[in-house]
């Protein structure tokens, strides 16, 4: 089956040669073809170019998209969308002056979500989570990473990862599963960190590996959560089972966690609201992708990742939502891109690169997703009629998406 889009106003993120990521000054360049065509066969992009060179294609469904823009679907490389219930009361508590740390210390935050999850059946969690997944697909996300981390027990973590596996099986977009047993210390292990880490390494990991439930391993490397030494131990244990690290780090404090992550071959380091000059030097010439989560900063009023400083230093950046019930109850990548432009002073070109090609790198799917490239999967966003792609971040509160295509088929 062939689909030919003609009269595309702007075809974005066109890469003749497949690349893994863009860094530094390269992030400011977003390859575009104006007045373009795009040809898809089954689930694959097979051709594109200027309308002046548009071929005649036999037996193709031709779609005239005059006035509309096409770009790759967003790649959301950091989410927690599998969870039970909500944390609406904590939203109100923060408005009334409580900090994230104060809420956590009185049993809220991650521990609150863990209680909800362990009291909810796997089927119920699946039904709640698939609604969120379907919503973000409609908002233009065509690949997503999902973490565990709200179980904090052997059965709870396995339950979450099994739900993610079911989502993988039932939805066409790429889904990567990350094991985040090291999200917080359960109350009973608050004074015995070694025992909980032993539970992660010697009980959780073998069972996860046996059922092939995870692609990556994560930890909340932060003051008051998991120390550098504890995170190193978890990363090393995960790698023995083939789980590459993708680590929460530098959300509130900088404690040389980035150095440990880079040294241990982390695919990404995520949050980075606090970044030192030393951290930037460590990330230079590494294979680790820095991932910013601006809607988290927006929602809980913490600093934004210093994107301009990092890009000017030659680093790449990816953007993701951090969709979770406590600190970012939204998976809208359009808002993330807009917020990166408005609050982090990223240009629209940089933000779109960060949310597509660099997001694909942070998910380990650069070979198949993240750009308009021959041979890559036909996961695309078709906008409504707009004047320019700059309108996407400019009209941050509007839904400018007309349709979303996953694997060559429009979603209903």
């Amino acid at each position: 089956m062939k689909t030919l889009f003609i009269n595309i106003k702007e075809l974005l993120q066109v890469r003749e040669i497949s690349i893994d990521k863009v860094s530094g000054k390269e992030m400011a360049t977003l390859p575009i073809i104006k007045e373009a065509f795009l040809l898809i066969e089954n689930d694959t992009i097979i051709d594109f170019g200027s309308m002046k060179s548009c071929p005649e294609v036999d037996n193709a469904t031709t779609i005239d998209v005059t006035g509309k823009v096409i770009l790759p679907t967003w790649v959301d490389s950091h989410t927690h969308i599998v969870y039970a219930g909500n944390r609406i009361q904590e939203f109100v508590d923060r408005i009334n002056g409580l900090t994230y740390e104060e809420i956590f210390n009185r049993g809220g935050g991650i521990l609150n979500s863990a209680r909800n999850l362990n009291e909810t059946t796997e089927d119920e969690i699946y039904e709640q989570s698939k609604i969120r997944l379907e919503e973000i697909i409609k908002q233009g996300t065509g690949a997503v990473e999902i973490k565990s981390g709200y179980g904090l027990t052997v059965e709870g973590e396995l339950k979450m990862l099994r739900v993610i596996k079911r989502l993988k099986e039932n939805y066409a977009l790429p889904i990567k599963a990350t094991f985040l047993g090291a999200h917080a210390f359960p109350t009973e292990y608050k004074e015995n960190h070694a025992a909980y880490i032993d539970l992660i390494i010697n009980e959780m990991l073998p069972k996860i590996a046996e059922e092939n439930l995870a692609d990556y391993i994560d930890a909340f490397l932060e003051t008051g959560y998991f120390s550098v030494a504890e995170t190193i131990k978890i990363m090393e244990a995960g790698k023995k089972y083939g789980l590459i690290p993708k680590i929460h780090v530098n959300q509130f404090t900088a404690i040389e966690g980035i150095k440990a992550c880079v040294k241990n071959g982390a695919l990404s380091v995520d949050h980075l609201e606090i970044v030192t000059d030393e951290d930037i030097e460590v990330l230079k010439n590494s294979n680790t992708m820095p991932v910013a989560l601006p809607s988290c900063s927006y929602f809980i009023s913490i600093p934004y990742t210093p994107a301009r400083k990092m890009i000017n230093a030659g680093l790449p950046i990816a953007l993701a939502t951090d969709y979770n019930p406590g600190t970012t109850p939204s998976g809208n990548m359009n808002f993330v891109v807009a917020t990166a432009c408005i609050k982090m002073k990223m240009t629209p070109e940089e933000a779109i690169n960060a949310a597509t090609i660099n997001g694909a790198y942070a998910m380990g799917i650069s070979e198949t997703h993240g750009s308009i490239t021959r041979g890559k999967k036909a996961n695309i966003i078709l906008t409504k009629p707009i004047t320019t792609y700059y309108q996407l971040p400019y009209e941050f509160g509007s839904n400018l998406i007309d349709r979303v295509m996953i694997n060559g088929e429009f979603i209903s």
Side-chain angles (χ1 to χ4, degrees), residues 45-73:
I45 295 166
I46 61 169
D47 202 9
F48 52 80
S50 167
M51 278 303 296
K52 293 175 183 176
S53 59
C54 182
E56 289 189 15
V57 184
D58 293 333
N59 302 318
T61 300
T62 300
I63 304 175
D64 189 331
V65 294
T66 299
K68 300 180 179 182
V69 171
I70 288 179
L71 66 156
T73 48

Side-chain angles (χ1 to χ4, degrees), residues 86-99:
N86 63 65
R87 290 183 2 220
I88 293 172
Q89 184 57 49
E90 293 177 16
F91 169 65
V92 178
D93 290 341
R94 274 196 303 277
I95 293 169
N96 287 322
L98 290 181
T99 66

Side-chain angles (χ1 to χ4, degrees), residues 78 147 180 182 218-223 225-228 231 235 246-262 266 268-276 279 283 288-293 302 305-306 310 322:
H78 182 126
K147 303 178 188 296
L180 178 56
D218 195 351
F220 190 7
L221 198 174
E222 183 55 74
T223 302
Y225 292 83
F226 288 80
S227 69
V228 173
T231 303
M235 287 191 286
K246 280 171 61 67
I247 305 295
H248 285 61
V249 65
N250 284 46
Q251 182 173 4
F252 303 113
T253 58
I255 52 174
E256 297 195 343
I258 289 175
K259 183 189 292 185
C261 294
V262 169
S268 71
V269 283
D270 302 28
H271 271 292
L272 311 183
E273 287 86 351
I274 308 297
V275 179
T276 67
D279 291 329
L283 286 165
T288 300
M289 177 63 71
V291 179
L293 310 171
I302 60 175
T305 301
M310 296 167 70
D322 193 27

Side-chain angles (χ1 to χ4, degrees), residues 20 75 77 354-366 369-370 376:
D20 288 339
V75 179
S77 67
T356 55
I357 191 72
N358 283 1
Y361 181 94
M363 256 188 77
I365 58 170
S366 296
H369 294 80
K376 285 196 174 185

